[in-house]
Amino acid sequence: MIEQADKLNNQAIILASDGEYNEAIACFKRAITLDKSNYLLWYNLGVTYRDLGELEKARGALETAYNLDPENDDAEETFATLCLMQKDYEEVLAICETGLYRNPYNSHLWNLVGVTNFQNENYEDAATCFEQAVFINPYYLDALYNLRDTYDFLKNTKGITEIDIRIKEIEKS
């Protein structure tokens, strides 16, 4: 029987969903030896490493996935999010800048830039980014919560009230 990368990928996903991360990683690695340029294999390997708590290995795999398909929103956003988890703010901003140049309507990237600015205590810039994310997607709860927290730091009580109303409306539906 000939091994196929897509079948190994599917098997690895099942293993990972069952919490069998090491077995899943072995399947992904075997699949990658069969198809080194498949971004999805690298992406899934990176996500599995991340879920296992192996952030450096996750970063290497996600960076490879991103480099193989830099226009893939999932690879881009997941790689940037991992860099944010590692507090590599310069890399987050670089990834997001490239992505937003390509697609200025990616609310997730705007949110990531906002979180990066917030972490660096650039609250005005963070608010602008979160506002952009919410403008693009008015139902994006993470961005709304982030915007509310940022408004709190900026003492924007009117903004907090408006965000609270919007969050309540969304949570009702």
Side-chain angles (χ1 to χ4, degrees):
M1 179 190 231
I2 298 173
E3 287 184 322
Q4 296 175 330
D6 62 331
K7 291 191 186 306
L8 287 166
N9 181 58
N10 292 340
Q11 181 61 37
I13 290 170
I14 291 167
L15 289 166
S17 69
D18 289 340
E20 298 179 38
Y21 298 117
N22 292 322
E23 293 83 356
I25 289 167
C27 276
F28 287 130
K29 285 182 175 181
R30 178 66 187 139
I32 287 168
T33 65
L34 299 172
D35 189 359
K36 290 178 179 50
S37 62
N38 185 329
Y39 99 91
L40 185 59
L41 298 173
W42 287 99
Y43 174 81
N44 289 336
L45 176 63
V47 169
T48 303
Y49 273 131
R50 181 201 63 200
D51 292 349
L52 186 59
E54 298 277 349
L55 297 186
E56 282 305 314
K57 290 178 181 178
R59 182 175 177 147
L62 290 171
E63 184 172 17
T64 300
Y66 173 69
N67 288 332
L68 287 169
D69 191 358
E71 293 187 6
N72 181 287
D73 289 341
D74 289 333
E76 185 174 65
E77 293 166 19
T78 305
F79 180 43
T81 300
L82 185 78
C83 291
L84 182 64
M85 290 169 64
Q86 294 181 312
K87 300 185 187 312
D88 186 349
Y89 302 127
E90 287 181 31
E91 187 70 21
V92 175
L93 293 175
I95 295 165
C96 291
E97 180 180 339
T98 300
L100 288 169
Y101 179 78
R102 180 178 47 79
N103 177 9
Y105 299 104
N106 186 320
S107 59
H108 295 279
L109 294 180
W110 280 110
N111 188 59
L112 285 168
V113 174
V115 172
T116 301
N117 281 312
F118 188 90
Q119 293 295 320
N120 287 307
E121 299 179 3
N122 299 325
Y123 302 117
E124 291 288 341
D125 291 341
T128 300
C129 293
F130 296 136
E131 288 165 351
Q132 186 64 28
V134 169
F135 174 77
I136 294 166
N137 180 357
Y139 300 96
Y140 188 3
L141 281 172
D142 284 347
L144 285 165
Y145 285 119
N146 290 336
L147 182 56
R148 183 178 64 187
D149 291 346
T150 305
Y151 281 169
D152 188 38
F153 271 86
L154 295 171
K155 308 292 187 226
N156 180 346
T157 54
K158 183 179 176 190
I160 292 170
T161 302
E162 290 175 17
I163 296 298
D164 284 340
I165 291 168
R166 186 178 299 177
I167 289 171
K168 286 178 186 170
E169 288 173 357
I170 291 169
E171 289 177 341
K172 281 182 186 177
S173 54

